[in-house]
Amino acid sequence: MKQVLYFSAEWCGPCKMIKPQIIDLQSQMSIMFIDADASPETCKTWNIRNVPTVLVIKNSMEIGRLVGTTITKDAVINLYNK
């Protein structure tokens, strides 16, 4: 089963703009919201260097990544469906 990890931070302007689009996708896919500031070890594990970042995970392995302004609802759907 695939899962989406959405890394963001409270202070991040782009994160605030993108979050509603990610929330809209919750009815279509499993999404975990991760606060990068509160979860530094998780960020280290997944090599998160910038927020917002979206990872698509399958069988505990990253199969796709979107960072920053490349994150749109359609881009997440396309990445998830690959």
Side-chain angles (χ1 to χ4, degrees), residues 12-35:
C12 171
C15 298
K16 292 176 186 176
M17 291 177 10
I18 293 165
K19 189 173 183 178
Q21 294 180 57
I22 303 300
I23 290 171
D24 284 346
L25 293 172
Q26 283 186 297
S27 63
Q28 300 173 44
M29 55 190 75
S30 172
I31 300 174
M32 180 181 290
F33 293 83
I34 301 166
D35 183 319

mmCIF file of all heavy atoms in Angstrom, residues 12-35:
data_model
loop_
_atom_site.group_PDB
_atom_site.id
_atom_site.type_symbol
_atom_site.label_atom_id
_atom_site.label_comp_id
_atom_site.label_asym_id
_atom_site.label_seq_id
_atom_site.Cartn_x
_atom_site.Cartn_y
_atom_site.Cartn_z
ATOM 1 N N CYS A 12 6.413 28.178 7.541
ATOM 2 C CA CYS A 12 6.632 28.081 6.090
ATOM 3 C C CYS A 12 5.421 28.588 5.307
ATOM 4 O O CYS A 12 4.352 27.973 5.329
ATOM 5 C CB CYS A 12 6.938 26.618 5.753
ATOM 6 S SG CYS A 12 6.978 26.246 4.005
ATOM 7 N N GLY A 13 5.595 29.706 4.590
ATOM 8 C CA GLY A 13 4.517 30.271 3.783
ATOM 9 C C GLY A 13 4.007 29.330 2.697
ATOM 10 O O GLY A 13 2.800 29.107 2.586
ATOM 11 N N PRO A 14 4.901 28.757 1.866
ATOM 12 C CA PRO A 14 4.443 27.816 0.843
ATOM 13 C C PRO A 14 3.709 26.603 1.424
ATOM 14 O O PRO A 14 2.770 26.097 0.828
ATOM 15 C CB PRO A 14 5.728 27.403 0.130
ATOM 16 C CG PRO A 14 6.647 28.566 0.324
ATOM 17 C CD PRO A 14 6.319 29.083 1.698
ATOM 18 N N CYS A 15 4.146 26.156 2.603
ATOM 19 C CA CYS A 15 3.479 25.017 3.260
ATOM 20 C C CYS A 15 2.020 25.356 3.555
ATOM 21 O O CYS A 15 1.124 24.530 3.351
ATOM 22 C CB CYS A 15 4.176 24.659 4.569
ATOM 23 S SG CYS A 15 5.886 24.133 4.395
ATOM 24 N N LYS A 16 1.792 26.580 4.033
ATOM 25 C CA LYS A 16 0.434 27.015 4.360
ATOM 26 C C LYS A 16 -0.440 27.090 3.113
ATOM 27 O O LYS A 16 -1.628 26.813 3.166
ATOM 28 C CB LYS A 16 0.465 28.367 5.062
ATOM 29 C CG LYS A 16 1.079 28.311 6.440
ATOM 30 C CD LYS A 16 1.190 29.673 7.059
ATOM 31 C CE LYS A 16 1.942 29.608 8.376
ATOM 32 N NZ LYS A 16 2.154 30.924 8.964
ATOM 33 N N MET A 17 0.158 27.475 1.984
ATOM 34 C CA MET A 17 -0.598 27.572 0.738
ATOM 35 C C MET A 17 -0.937 26.195 0.177
ATOM 36 O O MET A 17 -2.012 25.991 -0.380
ATOM 37 C CB MET A 17 0.202 28.365 -0.299
ATOM 38 C CG MET A 17 0.324 29.829 0.047
ATOM 39 S SD MET A 17 1.332 30.851 -1.069
ATOM 40 C CE MET A 17 1.683 29.852 -2.450
ATOM 41 N N ILE A 18 -0.039 25.248 0.331
ATOM 42 C CA ILE A 18 -0.207 23.916 -0.259
ATOM 43 C C ILE A 18 -1.055 22.991 0.613
ATOM 44 O O ILE A 18 -1.757 22.129 0.108
ATOM 45 C CB ILE A 18 1.178 23.293 -0.531
ATOM 46 C CG1 ILE A 18 1.884 24.098 -1.626
ATOM 47 C CG2 ILE A 18 1.082 21.828 -0.881
ATOM 48 C CD1 ILE A 18 3.360 23.817 -1.747
ATOM 49 N N LYS A 19 -1.024 23.195 1.919
ATOM 50 C CA LYS A 19 -1.697 22.279 2.854
ATOM 51 C C LYS A 19 -3.171 22.017 2.527
ATOM 52 O O LYS A 19 -3.607 20.862 2.562
ATOM 53 C CB LYS A 19 -1.551 22.770 4.289
ATOM 54 C CG LYS A 19 -2.036 21.762 5.303
ATOM 55 C CD LYS A 19 -1.726 22.194 6.718
ATOM 56 C CE LYS A 19 -2.159 21.131 7.708
ATOM 57 N NZ LYS A 19 -1.811 21.519 9.082
ATOM 58 N N PRO A 20 -3.977 23.031 2.164
ATOM 59 C CA PRO A 20 -5.384 22.737 1.829
ATOM 60 C C PRO A 20 -5.531 21.755 0.667
ATOM 61 O O PRO A 20 -6.440 20.923 0.666
ATOM 62 C CB PRO A 20 -5.964 24.110 1.479
ATOM 63 C CG PRO A 20 -5.090 25.083 2.201
ATOM 64 C CD PRO A 20 -3.713 24.476 2.184
ATOM 65 N N GLN A 21 -4.631 21.842 -0.310
ATOM 66 C CA GLN A 21 -4.676 20.904 -1.437
ATOM 67 C C GLN A 21 -4.365 19.479 -0.964
ATOM 68 O O GLN A 21 -4.978 18.516 -1.429
ATOM 69 C CB GLN A 21 -3.669 21.309 -2.507
ATOM 70 C CG GLN A 21 -3.999 22.621 -3.188
ATOM 71 C CD GLN A 21 -2.969 22.965 -4.235
ATOM 72 O OE1 GLN A 21 -2.748 22.174 -5.146
ATOM 73 N NE2 GLN A 21 -2.351 24.119 -4.108
ATOM 74 N N ILE A 22 -3.417 19.366 -0.048
ATOM 75 C CA ILE A 22 -3.045 18.051 0.490
ATOM 76 C C ILE A 22 -4.199 17.491 1.317
ATOM 77 O O ILE A 22 -4.534 16.310 1.217
ATOM 78 C CB ILE A 22 -1.747 18.137 1.324
ATOM 79 C CG1 ILE A 22 -0.589 18.715 0.495
ATOM 80 C CG2 ILE A 22 -1.388 16.780 1.903
ATOM 81 C CD1 ILE A 22 -0.215 17.930 -0.732
ATOM 82 N N ILE A 23 -4.825 18.342 2.111
ATOM 83 C CA ILE A 23 -5.977 17.911 2.914
ATOM 84 C C ILE A 23 -7.089 17.388 2.004
ATOM 85 O O ILE A 23 -7.719 16.375 2.313
ATOM 86 C CB ILE A 23 -6.474 19.064 3.817
ATOM 87 C CG1 ILE A 23 -5.448 19.322 4.928
ATOM 88 C CG2 ILE A 23 -7.848 18.760 4.395
ATOM 89 C CD1 ILE A 23 -5.709 20.566 5.746
ATOM 90 N N ASP A 24 -7.303 18.042 0.864
ATOM 91 C CA ASP A 24 -8.324 17.599 -0.091
ATOM 92 C C ASP A 24 -8.063 16.188 -0.606
ATOM 93 O O ASP A 24 -8.993 15.476 -0.982
ATOM 94 C CB ASP A 24 -8.407 18.545 -1.290
ATOM 95 C CG ASP A 24 -9.124 19.847 -0.976
ATOM 96 O OD1 ASP A 24 -9.790 19.931 0.074
ATOM 97 O OD2 ASP A 24 -9.005 20.778 -1.788
ATOM 98 N N LEU A 25 -6.812 15.779 -0.632
ATOM 99 C CA LEU A 25 -6.448 14.462 -1.156
ATOM 100 C C LEU A 25 -6.642 13.332 -0.144
ATOM 101 O O LEU A 25 -6.552 12.159 -0.507
ATOM 102 C CB LEU A 25 -4.991 14.477 -1.630
ATOM 103 C CG LEU A 25 -4.696 15.358 -2.840
ATOM 104 C CD1 LEU A 25 -3.201 15.436 -3.080
ATOM 105 C CD2 LEU A 25 -5.415 14.832 -4.061
ATOM 106 N N GLN A 26 -6.914 13.663 1.106
ATOM 107 C CA GLN A 26 -7.033 12.631 2.140
ATOM 108 C C GLN A 26 -8.127 11.612 1.855
ATOM 109 O O GLN A 26 -8.028 10.484 2.314
ATOM 110 C CB GLN A 26 -7.272 13.262 3.513
ATOM 111 C CG GLN A 26 -6.016 13.833 4.110
ATOM 112 C CD GLN A 26 -6.247 14.327 5.519
ATOM 113 O OE1 GLN A 26 -7.034 15.242 5.747
ATOM 114 N NE2 GLN A 26 -5.563 13.716 6.456
ATOM 115 N N SER A 27 -9.143 11.985 1.104
ATOM 116 C CA SER A 27 -10.204 11.026 0.797
ATOM 117 C C SER A 27 -9.764 10.031 -0.287
ATOM 118 O O SER A 27 -10.378 8.991 -0.458
ATOM 119 C CB SER A 27 -11.464 11.757 0.343
ATOM 120 O OG SER A 27 -11.209 12.466 -0.856
ATOM 121 N N GLN A 28 -8.659 10.348 -0.999
ATOM 122 C CA GLN A 28 -8.191 9.505 -2.093
ATOM 123 C C GLN A 28 -6.963 8.663 -1.746
ATOM 124 O O GLN A 28 -6.679 7.683 -2.431
ATOM 125 C CB GLN A 28 -7.840 10.374 -3.301
ATOM 126 C CG GLN A 28 -8.995 11.183 -3.827
ATOM 127 C CD GLN A 28 -8.526 12.136 -4.912
ATOM 128 O OE1 GLN A 28 -7.760 11.760 -5.778
ATOM 129 N NE2 GLN A 28 -8.986 13.376 -4.856
ATOM 130 N N MET A 29 -6.222 9.083 -0.706
ATOM 131 C CA MET A 29 -4.972 8.394 -0.381
ATOM 132 C C MET A 29 -4.621 8.592 1.086
ATOM 133 O O MET A 29 -5.100 9.523 1.721
ATOM 134 C CB MET A 29 -3.840 8.889 -1.279
ATOM 135 C CG MET A 29 -3.631 10.376 -1.255
ATOM 136 S SD MET A 29 -2.486 11.024 -2.505
ATOM 137 C CE MET A 29 -3.450 10.941 -3.997
ATOM 138 N N SER A 30 -3.779 7.710 1.591
ATOM 139 C CA SER A 30 -3.320 7.800 2.971
ATOM 140 C C SER A 30 -2.218 8.851 3.059
ATOM 141 O O SER A 30 -1.183 8.735 2.403
ATOM 142 C CB SER A 30 -2.784 6.435 3.414
ATOM 143 O OG SER A 30 -2.179 6.538 4.679
ATOM 144 N N ILE A 31 -2.447 9.883 3.885
ATOM 145 C CA ILE A 31 -1.487 10.979 4.012
ATOM 146 C C ILE A 31 -1.113 11.158 5.472
ATOM 147 O O ILE A 31 -1.983 11.235 6.344
ATOM 148 C CB ILE A 31 -2.062 12.296 3.455
ATOM 149 C CG1 ILE A 31 -2.420 12.129 1.976
ATOM 150 C CG2 ILE A 31 -1.079 13.442 3.661
ATOM 151 C CD1 ILE A 31 -3.119 13.305 1.361
ATOM 152 N N MET A 32 0.189 11.253 5.720
ATOM 153 C CA MET A 32 0.695 11.534 7.059
ATOM 154 C C MET A 32 1.294 12.939 7.037
ATOM 155 O O MET A 32 2.173 13.233 6.222
ATOM 156 C CB MET A 32 1.751 10.524 7.488
ATOM 157 C CG MET A 32 2.297 10.795 8.883
ATOM 158 S SD MET A 32 3.560 9.602 9.374
ATOM 159 C CE MET A 32 2.543 8.157 9.563
ATOM 160 N N PHE A 33 0.823 13.805 7.924
ATOM 161 C CA PHE A 33 1.326 15.162 8.039
ATOM 162 C C PHE A 33 2.441 15.179 9.081
ATOM 163 O O PHE A 33 2.241 14.745 10.219
ATOM 164 C CB PHE A 33 0.211 16.119 8.450
ATOM 165 C CG PHE A 33 -0.832 16.287 7.386
ATOM 166 C CD1 PHE A 33 -1.865 15.371 7.249
ATOM 167 C CD2 PHE A 33 -0.773 17.346 6.504
ATOM 168 C CE1 PHE A 33 -2.823 15.515 6.260
ATOM 169 C CE2 PHE A 33 -1.727 17.509 5.510
ATOM 170 C CZ PHE A 33 -2.755 16.589 5.389
ATOM 171 N N ILE A 34 3.611 15.673 8.706
ATOM 172 C CA ILE A 34 4.769 15.660 9.592
ATOM 173 C C ILE A 34 5.318 17.077 9.733
ATOM 174 O O ILE A 34 5.689 17.709 8.740
ATOM 175 C CB ILE A 34 5.871 14.721 9.057
ATOM 176 C CG1 ILE A 34 5.311 13.303 8.926
ATOM 177 C CG2 ILE A 34 7.102 14.763 9.954
ATOM 178 C CD1 ILE A 34 6.163 12.379 8.113
ATOM 179 N N ASP A 35 5.361 17.569 10.970
ATOM 180 C CA ASP A 35 5.954 18.873 11.258
ATOM 181 C C ASP A 35 7.469 18.679 11.303
ATOM 182 O O ASP A 35 7.986 17.978 12.172
ATOM 183 C CB ASP A 35 5.432 19.399 12.592
ATOM 184 C CG ASP A 35 5.957 20.781 12.919
ATOM 185 O OD1 ASP A 35 7.156 21.053 12.686
ATOM 186 O OD2 ASP A 35 5.169 21.602 13.419
#
